[in-house]
Amino acid sequence: MSTTDSPPDDTNSSGDLDAPLLEVRHLSKVFPGVVALDDVSMNVRAGEVHGLVGENGAGKSTLLKIVSGLYVADGGELLWNGEVVRFRAPPDAVKRGIELIPQELSLAPSLSAAENIMMGIYPAHLGRVRWREVKREAETVAATIHLEADLSRKASTLSPAEQRLVMIARALARKARLVIMDEPSVSLSEVEVDALKAVVHRLRERRVTVIYVSHRLDEVLELTDRVTVMKDGRVISTDQTSAVSKPVLIERIIGRSYGEQFPSRRALESTSPLLSVRNLSGGRVRDVSFALHPGEILGISGLVGSGRTEIVRMVFGADPLESGEIEVDGRPVKLTHPRHAIRRGLSLLPEDRRGQGAIVNMSIAANVSLPVLRRFAMRGTGMIHERVEARAVRERIDRLNLSTPNVQRPLKFLSGGNQQKALVAKWEMSDSRVFMFDEPTAGVDVGAKQEIYSLIAQLGARGAGVILISSELEEVVGLCHRVLVMREGRCVGELAGEAISEAAILHLCYEG
Amino acid sequence: MSVQPSEGGSVAVGGGGGALSQEPGGTQVARARGSVGPFFQRFGVLIAFAAVVVFFSLERGSSFPTLANLRAVFSGAAPLAVLAAVLTVPMMMGDFDLSVGFNAQVLGAVVVTLMAFDRVAAGTSIILTIVIGSLIGLLLGSLIAWSKVSAFVITLGAGIVLEGVELHLTSGNTIFSGLSKSYVKLAQHKLLSFTWPVWIALLVCVVLWYVTRHTVLGRRMAAVGGNQEAARLSGINVEMMRTAGFIIVGIGAAIAGIIITSQAASSYPDSASGLLIPAYAGVFLGAAVLRPGEFHIWGTLIGVMFMSIIQNGLTLMDYSSSTTDVIQGGIFIAAVLTSRIGRQDR
């Protein structure tokens, strides 16, 4: 097979963009206790890049899962090329050229990139796979999206960005006509996002229709032809992207007017540092020094893989450091396990919330109280005073405006933003004074992002120190008093106050 | 290695859990109430259990549903219940212990040889055996937790070692002379018409249930089982928790070995080594009961009783042991499948 020529376009020979390739009419879907989709109608035109935005829980995923055959709708109909279709399972959708690229990277880690791209459509002769053809065809597809990685490498050795591209290549290899990308830019650095954007442009040139789902509105505004906003299971609007602006989209998404995005920065008093790190080395990180003062929000910027996460993990005692000194409140400390760091008032909210930050099947209360469980236990026996614990947890999370009827519910039932709040409550409970946030807004919707920003600002206002790692430069610029910029494991620059700007940070990232 | 039963009840969005969460006072904090699945997932195995009981009662009305038979079933199941209950603890953290059968076998031989060959008093022998059991657990557990080699592999090897040790102790003989009378009596004492081993097994379950559900240790173990990395980043000493799981298994293996040798008034070859598979059958059946997808002590106990009742009923119906095995295994699979009815996998 060959994928170099454009996918066939049997409906419009003239190549006009107006004929809907996909149309949904009056779709509804109910799960026990929630109406996920409520009379949803929209269409996607052949050849366009269609943005789909909305808060988590707005119904985007449910809609996409119906379109790609993972769910069956309770009511309404689905039209493909003007024909009513019924998808009972994903293969029904794949057969027609609909490919969903999920948010999570989902490659077979021990197979090569080429094998992943060609998975399920291996060219074979008499049951014997022709590996040379597999490789050649994979390379042809990869070339169309400028995926330059060595395709014989195992998927697990590729960077997240490369893995994302392999997933896109896989969809193209199967002659996708509609590619649905769910949060494709999560965990990609700025440069990698640029590469992703280029791929989307290339898909459009090749008349592959794209549905682009993202919380990053700048990307949506830049890439899409039209954009649809969903809220509470309904479609709020569909517009030409050129006719809307970011504030307009945000207001529609959160359903109320949108104030100042970032809380104002507080002035710092000069005090002795809470945390000082000198000549820290380990892993990729080489010779990094910095200090963090009470009330200060310190950003650590840099491309993904520049050593940002390694720094905070070492400071937290989660990874061993090769050399360097750490002082908390002016006293040198040796932190060889997170529990030592926790005892000194440090906390880490890791990037991968589900994988490292939270125990999603445990209750909210159990997650929040975990580091300080002893406090609620009877001395000597370890019996937990569960009522006292629940009350204390309730008090903490109320203060953070985390509304939940029941602190005994598993954490997984909370939205991403609320999970993040619960984790902040957990560290406040353990009297943390240095909060290290690694990508706190990854995969969090617009409304919740704002809440996380004000949460971070509040922590500062209360005299805690905050370290903020974020790939969204806007956040770093909007929140931080000072920014360290990392490149290849070294700190290549420090910006403070007025000098902090996206341009200045990017300049240091690439050339500093 | 990570061994989690796949998770059930994924679509319960505040639905089924609601009624249960009305419980006043908010006790049982760690319990994830919202995760309880639909009816069949929670009660499928129990329904199958009830059906089996009704069937045997109808088929063998004079022998099956009698107190005497119940006593026999419970006494016979006691060592298995102890083993399965303790195995549930490391399973909550994703750790298998394949050496548990041989462990119980060795510890049974230890307690008997202490009395028979070394003339140690019964009470002292029992205490020593339990101490040795916990030391074996400590050794195995720390080896597994700190080496990061999978428990499956290390306990497989340990099982072979323990089998050799047992052969060395007993030379493959049945040892029955030299046991003190009080030791043999242990398994025959009765309380409220059931023998001591039944109550011991029940006590082990109650203690383990309490520890796993309502103590700091249990909560930390649950955290390790839920997400090892998140637990570590919350300050929990993951290695220590996993080791504690194996120490609990070691103590349980000692108790099971003592019950078996006391019941048999001897140490005989293969008295406990074959209990590994039935014990795990109980553990997995238990993970399909009440709180689907989770290993828990009461589930395990129900699983063990289910398997024991089937065995007992079939024996009363004069099936040969080969037929019993086939039917027992079949019902085990059917029961687990029942708990999957109506389940939506995503």
Side-chain angles (χ1 to χ4, degrees):
Chain A
M1 63 170 271
S2 151
T3 45
T4 42
D5 46 20
S6 291
D9 198 344
D10 42 26
T11 46
N12 358 240
S13 45
S14 63
D16 90 88
L17 283 176
D18 288 350
L21 177 68
L22 173 80
E23 189 174 357
V24 299
R25 290 183 184 157
H26 310 295
L27 277 191
S28 64
K29 178 77 185 174
V30 178
F31 292 116
V34 280
V35 179
L37 286 185
D38 183 6
D39 193 25
V40 165
S41 299
M42 67 172 284
N43 63 66
V44 178
R45 294 173 189 158
E48 77 171 338
V49 178
H50 194 112
L52 183 59
V53 297
E55 298 190 301
N56 289 336
K60 292 170 301 184
S61 306
T62 310
L63 176 62
L64 298 181
K65 283 180 176 164
I66 290 173
V67 168
S68 53
L70 279 159
Y71 291 166
V72 177
D74 296 334
E77 56 188 12
L78 205 62
L79 283 83
W80 178 251
N81 264 330
E83 243 175 78
V84 176
V85 286
R86 284 191 68 90
F87 296 157
R88 295 182 183 285
D92 296 342
V94 170
K95 236 183 293 169
R96 293 190 162 76
I98 301 176
E99 290 283 342
L100 173 69
I101 301 177
Q103 184 177 339
E104 307 78 37
L105 296 171
S106 55
L107 298 175
S110 58
L111 296 187
S112 72
E115 286 167 299
N116 270 290
I117 290 173
M118 298 300 290
M119 191 177 294
I121 49 168
Y122 289 157
H125 179 69
L126 297 175
R128 198 176 64 85
V129 176
R130 300 183 156 180
W131 292 112
R132 213 171 299 164
E133 274 178 56
V134 168
K135 183 130 193 284
R136 200 175 55 231
E137 287 181 21
E139 276 164 0
T140 316
V141 178
T144 65
I145 55 169
H146 289 207
L147 166 57
E148 277 149 8
D150 176 4
L151 297 185
S152 57
R153 277 169 62 194
K154 278 187 180 181
S156 56
T157 66
L158 301 173
S159 75
E162 287 168 334
Q163 292 189 38
R164 177 72 54 190
L165 292 182
V166 167
M167 286 165 70
I168 296 172
R170 177 162 68 190
L172 294 181
R174 293 198 254 177
K175 296 208 191 290
R177 301 196 51 203
L178 172 64
V179 175
I180 302 170
M181 300 187 186
D182 191 0
E183 294 286 353
S185 59
V186 160
S187 79
L188 301 192
S189 67
E190 298 279 320
V191 210
E192 294 167 334
V193 171
D194 285 342
L196 176 73
K197 286 175 185 166
V199 167
V200 174
H201 285 305
R202 213 155 282 129
L203 292 181
R204 194 203 337 242
E205 279 159 25
R206 297 162 46 75
R207 309 263 303 117
V208 176
T209 310
V210 176
I211 298 180
Y212 194 91
V213 182
S214 180
H215 288 310
R216 298 189 178 177
L217 298 180
D218 291 327
E219 284 169 18
V220 173
L221 287 168
E222 184 185 334
L223 283 175
T224 63
D225 299 301
R226 292 194 303 157
V227 56
T228 294
V229 180
M230 290 189 72
K231 181 170 176 59
D232 301 334
R234 292 164 172 275
V235 168
I236 299 292
S237 66
T238 299
D239 293 279
Q240 293 294 330
T241 306
S242 53
V244 290
S245 65
K246 191 171 173 187
V248 169
L249 282 184
I250 292 176
E251 282 190 22
R252 287 188 190 151
I253 289 169
I254 62 181
R256 58 186 153 84
S257 70
Y258 181 65
E260 194 58 38
Q261 192 179 4
F262 294 104
S264 60
R265 238 173 304 225
R266 287 177 67 261
L268 291 178
E269 296 151 31
S270 63
T271 41
S272 52
L274 271 177
L275 171 74
S276 53
V277 171
R278 269 193 299 276
N279 309 110
L280 185 73
S281 293
R284 248 174 304 195
V285 176
R286 289 286 148 245
D287 202 24
V288 169
S289 303
F290 63 89
L292 179 71
H293 297 84
E296 186 177 34
I297 302 173
L298 172 70
I300 301 183
S301 248
L303 307 178
V304 170
S306 59
R308 305 173 307 177
T309 300
E310 283 90 335
I311 294 179
V312 289
R313 283 184 61 92
M314 281 191 281
V315 170
F316 192 58
D319 286 335
L321 47 94
E322 283 161 24
S323 62
E325 285 139 45
I326 298 172
E327 285 182 6
V328 178
D329 289 326
R331 271 192 300 271
V333 290
K334 256 191 114 55
L335 310 171
T336 52
H337 190 282
R339 65 177 181 275
H340 305 141
I342 293 168
R343 220 175 288 144
R344 306 278 176 184
L346 308 188
S347 58
L348 173 68
L349 293 95
E351 172 181 8
D352 180 4
R353 201 167 40 236
R354 298 191 139 254
Q356 302 188 340
I359 300 164
V360 291
N361 283 327
M362 284 206 332
S363 70
I364 301 165
N367 269 283
V368 172
S369 65
L370 196 55
V372 293
L373 255 188
R374 275 258 169 76
R375 216 182 275 174
F376 304 107
M378 224 185 282
R379 219 168 263 252
T381 61
M383 282 187 234
I384 298 169
H385 266 296
E386 277 147 10
R387 244 168 259 191
V388 180
E389 180 201 20
R391 214 178 303 134
V393 168
R394 167 59 73 188
E395 199 181 300
R396 288 285 171 187
I397 65 172
D398 279 352
R399 228 184 287 167
L400 296 175
N401 291 326
L402 196 171
S403 51
T404 175
N406 188 348
V407 293
Q408 317 297 354
R409 269 162 61 89
L411 192 76
K412 66 178 166 198
F413 290 129
L414 294 182
S415 67
N418 278 342
Q419 287 184 12
Q420 199 66 275
K421 283 190 199 171
L423 296 181
V424 171
K426 156 173 153 181
W427 294 120
E428 285 189 331
M429 195 117 146
S430 71
D431 301 321
S432 196
R433 285 168 309 132
V434 174
F435 291 78
M436 298 184 272
F437 287 89
D438 193 354
E439 302 281 6
T441 59
V444 160
D445 58 53
V446 182
K449 270 185 190 175
Q450 241 182 331
E451 288 195 70
I452 291 173
Y453 299 150
S454 61
L455 205 68
I456 290 174
Q458 278 168 33
L459 290 172
R462 258 179 268 148
V466 175
I467 295 179
L468 172 66
I469 296 176
S470 174
S471 290
E472 295 192 49
L473 289 180
E474 204 189 31
E475 292 179 1
V476 176
V477 173
L479 286 168
C480 295
H481 294 95
R482 210 150 47 91
V483 178
L484 303 180
V485 182
M486 299 287 300
R487 182 152 45 87
E488 288 162 16
R490 290 176 186 279
C491 179
V492 290
E494 187 177 323
L495 301 166
E498 296 299 308
I500 304 174
S501 70
E502 295 195 25
I505 294 173
L506 278 176
H507 179 77
L508 285 170
C509 281
Y510 293 116
E511 306 149 48
Chain B
M1 86 184 294
S2 162
V3 191
Q4 291 298 317
S6 52
E7 172 196 308
S10 46
V11 283
V13 188
L20 278 172
S21 45
Q22 299 307 317
E23 201 174 306
T27 49
Q28 301 185 6
V29 174
R31 184 162 175 177
R33 286 203 190 93
S35 71
V36 290
F39 187 76
F40 265 112
Q41 290 178 33
R42 303 187 52 206
F43 300 110
V45 170
L46 286 179
I47 293 167
F49 194 172
V52 163
V53 168
V54 170
F55 175 77
F56 286 136
S57 302
L58 294 176
E59 284 292 314
R60 284 291 180 274
S62 58
S63 54
F64 179 75
T66 60
L67 186 61
N69 187 45
L70 204 62
R71 279 186 198 134
V73 175
F74 281 10
S75 297
L80 182 60
V82 171
L83 282 184
V86 291
L87 283 176
T88 309
V89 178
M91 276 308 271
M92 288 171 176
M93 290 180 276
D95 286 329
F96 271 101
D97 185 345
L98 299 185
S99 66
V100 74
F102 293 118
N103 202 351
Q105 178 84 38
V106 165
L107 291 163
V110 165
V111 70
V112 167
T113 50
L114 277 175
M115 285 181 287
F117 300 163
D118 304 314
R119 301 280 152 213
V120 179
T124 319
S125 304
I126 288 173
I127 291 167
L128 272 177
T129 304
I130 291 177
V131 170
I132 294 170
S134 53
L135 287 177
I136 294 176
L138 173 68
L139 185 69
L140 268 181
S142 31
L143 201 61
I144 289 160
W146 274 280
S147 75
K148 312 252 190 289
V149 176
S150 97
F152 202 90
V153 174
I154 291 201
T155 57
L156 188 68
I160 300 169
V161 171
L162 290 170
E163 189 184 19
V165 172
E166 194 255 347
L167 268 175
H168 176 77
L169 282 177
T170 63
S171 315
N173 297 321
T174 300
I175 301 162
F176 53 89
S177 58
L179 294 193
S180 73
K181 274 219 180 81
S182 59
Y183 186 75
V184 178
K185 278 263 172 66
L186 208 65
Q188 288 156 10
H189 279 301
K190 277 188 185 161
L191 180 69
L192 299 174
S193 105
F194 289 101
T195 57
W196 275 20
V198 176
W199 294 109
I200 292 170
L202 195 63
L203 184 69
V204 167
C205 288
V206 170
V207 169
L208 288 180
W209 161 75
Y210 194 86
V211 167
T212 51
R213 276 250 157 273
H214 296 292
T215 67
V216 173
L217 179 70
R219 196 73 79 71
R220 287 182 177 161
M221 286 176 161
V224 171
N227 185 337
Q228 243 183 58
E229 182 63 8
R232 192 171 88 93
L233 293 180
S234 296
I236 292 172
N237 190 334
V238 172
E239 289 77 22
M240 204 119 94
M241 290 302 116
R242 292 177 68 192
T243 305
F246 285 97
I247 293 175
I248 288 174
V249 172
I251 294 171
I255 295 173
I258 290 164
I259 294 177
I260 290 168
T261 48
S262 170
Q263 281 177 334
S266 64
S267 156
Y268 61 97
D270 292 331
S271 57
S273 46
L275 291 181
L276 175 72
I277 302 286
Y280 271 108
V283 171
F284 279 102
L285 263 181
V289 179
L290 298 176
R291 288 149 15 87
E294 257 181 85
F295 295 107
H296 56 124
I297 304 295
W298 295 129
T300 297
L301 186 60
I302 291 169
V304 166
M305 290 324 300
F306 188 19
M307 298 301 282
S308 303
I309 293 273
I310 294 171
Q311 170 128 41
N312 168 259
L314 292 174
T315 311
L316 291 178
M317 288 176 71
D318 299 323
Y319 284 108
S320 67
S321 72
S322 54
T323 320
T324 312
D325 281 350
V326 172
I327 299 178
Q328 212 176 355
I331 292 181
F332 167 71
I333 293 171
V336 173
L337 288 179
T338 319
S339 70
R340 301 270 165 142
I341 292 175
R343 181 192 157 108
Q344 287 200 8
D345 284 300
R346 288 201 209 171

